[in-house]
Amino acid sequence: ITPGLKMTGGKTYYLRYRVKCVQSTFPERYEVKMGAAPTVEAMQTVVLSETEVDNTEYKEIMQEVKPTSTGTYYIGFHA
């Protein structure tokens, strides 16, 4: 879970990160969520639904994040 990020409601932000797995024969699954507190329970907004990764070289991913209201948000990566 990231540190708190101050965001303005209705504004579009871009989250950029890189992913890879150790072996293509053992793909990984991950998802990205956002919430108003740095806890698993607070991660209510889906940024990226569960996705499989089978690449062994880093792949850059860019996701749009658009909060509905102004506040501090946390991004959680679950693999």
Side-chain angles (χ1 to χ4, degrees), residues 3-46:
L5 305 168
K6 292 182 180 182
M7 297 185 185
T8 302
K11 183 176 179 180
T12 301
Y13 296 88
Y14 297 93
L15 174 66
R16 188 181 343 186
Y17 56 94
R18 299 182 317 154
V19 297
K20 75 172 188 172
C21 67
V22 177
Q23 292 180 327
S24 59
T25 54
F26 294 102
E28 296 284 342
R29 291 188 159 283
Y30 78 102
E31 62 185 344
V32 183
K33 294 186 175 184
M34 180 171 76
T39 64
V40 172
E41 298 78 20
M43 298 291 137
Q44 298 294 317
T45 302
V46 176

Side-chain angles (χ1 to χ4, degrees), residues 47-65:
V47 175
L48 178 69
S49 58
E50 193 172 283
T51 301
E52 188 171 279
V53 176
D54 62 0
N55 47 292
T56 57
E57 298 295 322
Y58 278 110
K59 178 180 178 183
E60 188 171 280
I61 308 293
M62 187 174 337
Q63 296 292 137
E64 280 191 11
V65 177

